[in-house]
Amino acid sequence: MTRELFDQALIEEATKKSGLVWVRGAGAPAARALWHVWHGGAVCLVGDGPGEQPLTGLADGGSAEVTVRSKDKGGRLVSWPATVSELAPGSAGWEAAVAELKGKRLNAPDAEAMPQRWSRECRVLRLVPAGAPAPLPEDNLAARPVPTPATTRQPVPAALPRLLTRRRRKK
């Protein structure tokens, strides 16, 4: 097996099995975790619309770096360069990608009308592998999370632990 075929198989299998990929577009300050599907030899993404993931730094004809994590341990498996292309709404490629993406979209408020909303308000991108995977880094590359409007849960009310540990009264 040649090295190119091995690299292609590694990228495809790791990306298919991962629920998230970390993508850093050209000029973006940091990578973002994005949900995706592997379809037709590329990562397909949808976003930049209301209620959808941001696709910061990803432009049609641009480049990106994709890092795939392990589904069970969450560690880095492989990083690879990609070329970005935006699919035109209604095209055959767009329809095929959206059919795959629709099945993977969790918690959609409008499951049946989602493709129409995506065609009006969102972008569908393909990230095609464009070279050999990058070697794994020597250090851990830990970085602060990217700022987001998402919030964590509120503090536990003070009375909750007492309510949970209170025993039932015997009759």
Side-chain angles (χ1 to χ4, degrees), residues 22 51 94 105 122 137:
W22 291 86
W94 187 90
R105 175 66 163 91
C122 297

Side-chain angles (χ1 to χ4, degrees), residues 6-31:
F6 176 77
D7 290 345
Q8 181 182 2
L10 173 65
I11 289 169
E12 183 173 346
E13 285 303 310
T15 308
K16 277 183 184 179
K17 292 181 180 186
S18 181
L20 290 173
V21 291
W22 291 86
V23 180
R24 186 172 57 88

